Amino acid sequence: MTSCSMEINPAIVESIVVLAVVLCVHLVVWNQHSWCSIALIIQAFYVQHKWDRLLKSGGAVFQFRPSANSGIVPASMVMPLLGLALREKCFASGNVYFERFSMVITITGMMLALFLSLIALGITRPLPTNTCIIAGMAASAIVYTTKQTLTVSEVIEVLEVLLIFVYLSLIVLYLLPRCFTPGEALLIVGGISFIVNQLIKRSLNLAEVKGDPVNYLLPVVVLGSLLLGMFFALLFCFMESETWVSSLFFHIMTAVLGLGILLPWLALFIRRHPIMWLIDFLALNDKRLCLLGYWVLLAVGATCVVLHQNYQRQSGSKKHQASTIVRKYFHLIVVATYVPGLIYDRQLLHVASVGCLAVFLFLEYVRYFRIRPLGQLLRQLLTLFLDERDSGPLILTHIYLLMGMSLPVWLFPGPCAPKGVLPGAGGLVPYAGVLAVGVGDTVASIFGSTMGEIRWPGTKKTMEGTATSVFAQIIAVALFLIFDGNINLNSTYSWIVGSITLVAMLEAYTSQIDNLLLPLYLFILLLL
């Protein structure tokens, strides 16, 4: 077993799993972008080898997260596959606007991946001739398809996102060393760049703004958090952040940004005062008030777990770290939070998850900059729950968990879903985060660490953990089918089991942030 583990490269198996996902998508969706996505994954596989070599030799321009491969292959395919799956649903529903929008998502994802490949090839010495030829052929196919399928305004939109991505990635990777792998940076910064561009575009065309007000909360929160973080990261390079004067300035500027810029900006989109709209939204019916009360109790429970674990550390060893099982308590609490929201009120869950994201980001800024009075306290409380992925100055694990559970809710193609529900396996799309992270990853970690003996070649993950993960997710699907009357699988059981198995294999072999990657791939597969 040991020699087999040494021979198998986990990054290659990870790439094979992603290739299987790509082929599954193209069994259902085949159009002019399909050949481009296949060319993209081939060139990404070659470029990933170059990135991995750069990371091992220390030749990369920025400091990336250690003890992980570059993750170029799984990250490069997320946005293109997401756009292809969304386009198929929008085409079936006859929604031409969102069908075009989905094409923009696909091409944007391909262009961002090509740009990251260009960086790797540009700093690799000697210049890898074969990889350059393959990347050039893939780029030529993508550029030709872009010319054939997108309008001039859509091409300009893609270039705008690429421009934002270039500048934003330079800033983020410089200010936050060792926080991301190249693939994670592509996924996160690329997503933020796309959201920022969409928000700016809609702000310049307010007369055409339409849709559910709930959908504008996330872009405004993302942009506000980005502006706040960048401003103070640059400011505190020149002044001490731990003084009371700096802390007071931080809180005043946060209030000015929120009340003076973001709320009026949001009001332009929803055409009402955001606070009055939020009060009416939350008090719409008794069910929402009951859900809010239930979530408050769970939040109190999670806080008690944190305080109890820190009390144990104070009374015991100072080097005490929370075990894997203790950290998975939070996964179970999040499952208990999301499932009732998905069953009874998805709009409320959408708003609440965006609000939690804003709170988490604000508290992380307070901890990172040591803002008084809570900065040092948060550092002491959260240090206990660090794992090997929190190697940079930021602690992002809990934010990734929230995003992984919420992304299927945020990305749900409401305008392309008849009566708000997708047929077949699509009925499980909002549950992708709960299944992949809340159930699958939790069960795999607990059973794998306690009872697992047979390890997957080349990794520390166990076959027992993966098998119980798949089994637990199938049981969860059966329970969702019983309690959520909107789900009608229509004999798509084999597709669901196959999708869950593929994502479980990806969890076993990926070294990327699984809380973020797994829900997106399961979302894409279930959307088909």
Side-chain angles (χ1 to χ4, degrees):
M1 179 63 69
T2 303
S3 60
C4 183
S5 298
M6 295 176 62
E7 293 173 0
I8 295 181
N9 185 351
I12 295 178
V13 182
E14 176 191 53
S15 301
I16 292 173
V17 175
V18 174
L19 176 61
V21 173
V22 172
L23 296 178
C24 286
V25 170
H26 293 308
L27 284 176
V28 180
V29 181
W30 188 266
N31 54 38
Q32 59 269 55
H33 295 121
S34 298
W35 285 113
C36 293
S37 68
I38 293 175
L40 182 68
I41 191 174
I42 293 174
Q43 73 88 30
F45 176 78
Y46 278 86
V47 171
Q48 177 168 282
H49 174 68
K50 306 305 176 186
W51 263 114
D52 290 344
R53 193 169 66 180
L54 284 170
L55 295 179
K56 290 179 180 178
S57 64
V61 177
F62 298 102
Q63 297 182 57
F64 292 99
R65 183 164 66 85
S67 66
N69 63 43
S70 60
I72 296 297
V73 171
S76 295
M77 300 312 300
V78 169
M79 281 187 70
L81 294 180
L82 178 62
L84 288 171
L86 288 173
R87 183 189 178 191
E88 181 69 12
K89 287 301 175 185
C90 294
F91 174 77
S93 65
N95 193 320
V96 178
Y97 173 80
F98 278 95
E99 183 185 351
R100 302 295 307 180
F101 181 70
S102 301
M103 291 173 62
V104 172
I105 294 176
T106 298
I107 295 297
T108 301
M110 292 181 179
M111 289 297 183
L112 295 177
L114 286 175
F115 175 76
L116 200 63
S117 300
L118 184 63
I119 293 177
L121 296 177
I123 59 179
T124 300
R125 293 294 180 272
L127 193 68
T129 307
N130 294 337
T131 306
C132 286
I133 293 173
I134 293 172
M137 293 173 61
S140 300
I142 293 170
V143 170
Y144 177 79
T145 304
T146 301
K147 178 179 177 295
Q148 296 296 317
T149 57
L150 297 189
T151 63
V152 174
S153 61
E154 290 169 342
V155 172
I156 293 174
E157 188 174 343
V158 172
L159 294 177
E160 290 169 349
V161 176
L162 186 58
L163 184 63
I164 295 172
F165 174 79
V166 172
Y167 286 104
L168 194 58
S169 58
L170 292 175
I171 295 171
V172 170
L173 293 176
Y174 174 76
L175 294 176
L176 302 174
R178 303 181 308 280
C179 283
F180 311 101
T181 65
E184 291 162 2
L186 171 64
L187 201 57
I188 296 167
V189 180
I192 293 174
S193 302
F194 192 86
I195 290 174
V196 169
N197 185 66
Q198 288 300 312
L199 187 63
I200 295 173
K201 176 185 174 183
R202 281 162 171 71
S203 299
L204 297 175
N205 297 278
L206 288 174
E208 300 178 6
V209 170
K210 57 183 179 179
D212 195 334
V214 169
N215 296 328
Y216 294 102
L217 292 177
L218 180 62
V220 172
V221 165
V222 168
L223 182 59
S225 302
L226 181 66
L227 293 175
L228 185 68
M230 290 174 56
F231 175 77
F232 282 104
L234 295 174
L235 179 66
F236 289 144
C237 288
F238 304 99
M239 62 182 293
E240 182 62 45
S241 64
E242 299 180 39
T243 64
W244 277 107
V245 174
S246 298
S247 299
L248 181 61
F249 181 66
F250 175 87
H251 293 301
I252 291 174
M253 290 303 298
T254 302
V256 169
L257 176 66
L259 300 177
I261 299 177
L262 298 184
L263 284 184
W265 199 348
L266 184 58
L268 294 175
F269 292 116
I270 67 177
R271 295 182 172 88
R272 278 192 66 188
H273 193 286
I275 295 179
M276 299 306 298
W277 172 83
L278 183 62
I279 292 173
D280 292 340
F281 178 84
L282 296 179
L284 182 64
N285 53 49
D286 293 338
K287 185 188 297 183
R288 287 191 171 175
L289 295 176
C290 291
L291 272 174
L292 288 172
Y294 169 68
W295 289 340
V296 169
L297 290 176
L298 290 176
V300 172
T303 305
C304 291
V305 171
V306 173
L307 295 176
H308 175 69
Q309 289 295 316
N310 276 272
Y311 174 77
Q312 282 191 329
R313 178 172 64 172
Q314 291 175 0
S315 60
S317 172
K318 294 295 182 181
K319 296 183 179 180
H320 171 71
Q321 286 293 114
S323 65
T324 299
I325 296 178
V326 170
R327 285 199 293 266
K328 295 308 174 182
Y329 285 162
F330 295 100
H331 286 235
L332 297 177
I333 290 174
V334 172
V335 170
T337 302
Y338 273 72
V339 171
L342 289 168
I343 293 175
Y344 296 111
D345 199 330
R346 292 179 185 177
Q347 275 202 324
L348 178 62
L349 180 62
H350 188 131
V351 173
S353 57
V354 172
C356 284
L357 177 64
V359 172
F360 278 15
L361 290 173
F362 174 75
L363 292 178
E364 180 57 24
Y365 287 149
V366 169
R367 186 205 65 83
Y368 174 62
F369 295 124
R370 295 184 174 90
I371 301 299
R372 299 187 178 214
L374 296 177
Q376 193 59 39
L377 176 63
L378 288 173
R379 278 180 172 263
Q380 295 173 359
L381 292 178
L382 295 180
T383 302
L384 176 65
F385 299 94
L386 292 176
D387 62 15
E388 67 276 2
R389 294 172 296 184
D390 291 312
S391 55
L394 294 185
I395 299 177
L396 297 171
T397 305
H398 59 296
I399 298 176
Y400 286 142
L401 175 60
L402 174 66
M403 290 178 62
M405 300 290 286
S406 303
L407 279 170
V409 180
W410 297 340
L411 295 173
F412 182 78
C416 302
K419 299 180 181 180
V421 181
L422 293 173
L428 291 171
V429 160
Y431 292 90
V434 174
L435 288 171
V437 176
V439 177
D441 184 45
T442 302
V443 171
S445 296
I446 293 176
F447 278 82
S449 60
T450 56
M451 296 188 297
E453 295 182 359
I454 306 175
R455 300 190 183 279
W456 288 107
T459 77
K460 297 180 181 180
K461 306 293 179 68
T462 64
M463 296 184 182
E464 292 90 342
T466 302
T468 52
S469 167
V470 173
F471 186 64
Q473 290 180 74
I474 293 173
I475 293 176
V477 169
L479 293 175
F480 297 153
L481 190 60
I482 293 172
F483 291 102
D484 191 344
N486 293 323
I487 300 176
N488 183 11
L489 299 184
N490 294 333
S491 302
T492 56
Y493 302 104
S494 58
W495 180 267
I496 293 170
V497 173
S499 301
I500 289 173
T501 304
L502 274 177
V503 173
M505 287 300 301
L506 183 60
E507 187 274 336
Y509 275 96
T510 188
S511 60
Q512 307 304 297
I513 299 296
D514 49 8
N515 288 349
L516 195 61
L517 200 63
L518 303 184
L520 288 170
Y521 271 100
L522 187 58
F523 177 91
I524 291 167
L525 289 169
L526 294 178
L527 194 59
L528 299 170

